[in-house]
Amino acid sequence: MNILLQMPGHAVEPWHAAFVSALPEAAISVWPEGRAIPDYAIVWKPPAELFTRFRPAKAIFNLGAGVDSLLAVPTLPADVPVIRLEDAGMAEQMCEYVTYAVLRAYREMDSYATQQRAGRWQQRERLAKREFGVGLLGFGVLAHAVAAALAPFDFPLRGWSRQRRVAPGIQTFAGAEELPAFLAHSRVLVCLLPSTPDTRGLLGRATLERLPRGAHVINTSRGDIVVDEALLALLESGHLAGAVLDVFNTEPLPPDHPFWHHPRIVVTPHVSAATLVADSVAQVAAKIRRFEQGQPVTGVVDRARGY
Ligand code: NDP
Ligand code: OXD
């Protein structure tokens, strides 16, 4: 079995070592070396040249949960299955990040930080929990884990997806027609949608205005789902109270971007859930073995939907 491995930058060595140890029967080349027709390509943000030089025969594995950058590669072969990472150690990290951001909003830590800077001792009235709905925009693998992590805190939880999902204790909404009802009671909106032709720019002014006054936005999936100008305008008008942003339209976030110094925006550099070597290699290796045995694998991307 021949495998082509590609990772951008200098990060490839630990991945190569882990794949060699997980799949000792395979010949694993590291881009830009390799055989013309590898059985599998394992990639993250590959250059277009990769698929003109190497045409994987069986499958392409994406070393991330989101496939937007891979699907945008113009040379990506149309008829080779693309398989993404599912959780692979990312769900736990996402739970930590989102739980922190939700509690930070609910316990008004921004306001206490402002009071501290002013040397003001003032106890704020506790917000009513039943009015502090947390809306998970995108209710897939990561959002389900986040919902389970938030459940003990007793916020009203709601989830929005394309198809209707059923989850105990969570109010679920499906499709564009139910989006306004979903937004209306989401005091915190957590964006866990993939970036697709249907979701890019979804969080523009008209959508964000449907959130209750004083709402917070947490975006940990992809920056291009949010319209930056709309978010800034609604923070300025007071309709939105704050935002915690891990992902951006342009990454790294440009030095002159207004998000950097905005008093009610927290910026982190795409760190909410890192791709972990051991978990990811174990998942991909297990799927390659299933593939070789002719068994079905999960995480196959539907190219028409874009995720
Ligand atoms: P999933 O594919 O499991 O979940 C995606 C969810 O979004 C599904 O519930 C899906 O609906 C819903 N969805 C997609 N399109 C629409 C639409 N047009 N309207 C309504 N709902 C829609 O993905 P994951 O949970 O694994 O990951 C989510 C995203 O998180 C990734 O795509 C990636 O971009 C991002 N990510 C970011 C990381 C970071 O470090 N910042 C790390 C890992 C992932 P349905 O259930 O009906 O299919
Ligand atoms: C991913 C990411 O999609 O890290 O996995 O952003």
Side-chain angles (χ1 to χ4, degrees):
M1 181 200 329
N2 288 296
I3 295 177
L4 173 67
L5 172 65
Q6 172 269 337
M7 283 289 283
H10 304 289
V12 77
E13 197 31 57
W15 290 89
H16 182 240
F19 274 116
V20 167
S21 137
L23 294 166
E25 69 276 33
I28 304 178
S29 318
V30 176
W31 161 262
E33 307 301 324
R35 295 184 185 221
I37 309 187
D39 294 296
Y40 302 98
I42 304 172
V43 299
W44 179 243
K45 299 189 176 174
E49 191 196 344
L50 185 142
F51 296 116
T52 53
R53 286 185 50 200
F54 302 105
R55 198 181 186 294
K58 297 182 182 170
I60 299 166
F61 285 89
N62 182 59
L63 283 179
V67 289
D68 45 311
S69 57
L70 180 55
L71 298 189
V73 175
T75 54
L76 181 71
D79 51 353
V80 181
V82 168
I83 299 158
R84 72 183 192 97
L85 289 181
E86 301 166 285
D87 180 355
M90 287 184 274
E92 183 180 327
Q93 302 172 68
M94 197 57 90
C95 290
E96 293 161 359
Y97 187 103
V98 174
T99 303
Y100 163 77
V102 169
L103 294 178
R104 188 176 182 282
Y106 174 61
R107 295 302 300 263
E108 301 185 280
M109 289 301 175
D110 266 353
S111 302
Y112 283 117
T114 306
Q115 288 182 201
Q116 180 181 349
R117 283 192 293 274
R120 195 164 71 245
W121 180 277
Q122 184 198 333
Q123 292 165 348
R124 304 173 67 83
E125 199 176 321
R126 186 66 55 81
L127 301 170
K129 230 177 206 180
R130 66 184 175 283
E131 285 159 27
F132 212 82
V134 178
L136 303 168
L137 189 73
F139 196 42
V141 171
L142 298 179
H144 272 79
V146 167
L150 287 173
F153 296 102
D154 256 359
F155 298 110
L157 295 177
R158 45 193 54 227
W160 183 70
S161 48
R162 249 164 48 109
Q163 305 164 54
R164 184 166 310 284
R165 304 282 167 194
V166 178
I170 297 168
Q171 195 180 359
T172 55
F173 299 79
E177 7 9 285
E178 295 185 12
L179 182 60
F182 163 83
L183 294 167
H185 299 286
S186 293
R187 187 67 185 273
V188 180
L189 182 71
V190 183
C191 179
L192 279 163
L193 284 170
S195 168
T196 72
D198 289 337
T199 64
R200 287 193 265 279
L202 177 68
L203 295 181
R205 189 168 188 127
T207 311
L208 293 172
E209 266 177 349
R210 290 189 179 273
L211 292 167
R213 195 170 175 80
H216 293 254
V217 173
I218 300 168
N219 187 12
T220 53
S221 68
R222 285 295 182 266
D224 59 5
I225 298 166
V226 171
V227 179
D228 294 357
E229 298 71 25
L231 182 72
L232 286 165
L234 291 173
L235 283 166
E236 215 47 56
S237 74
H239 187 78
L240 294 178
V244 174
L245 307 174
D246 184 49
V247 287
F248 303 92
N249 273 288
T250 306
E251 294 184 7
L253 186 64
D256 58 348
H257 197 287
F259 286 171
W260 277 117
H261 301 291
H262 197 288
R264 281 180 290 133
I265 295 180
V266 173
V267 167
T268 55
H270 202 134
V271 292
S272 51
T275 308
L276 305 176
V277 178
D279 301 58
S280 309
V281 168
Q283 185 173 109
V284 172
K287 287 185 181 181
I288 287 178
R289 291 233 160 81
R290 288 181 66 83
F291 228 93
E292 289 294 295
Q293 292 159 2
Q295 292 177 21
V297 297
T298 58
V300 178
V301 171
D302 178 335
R303 305 249 195 136
R305 290 185 324 187
Y307 67 100

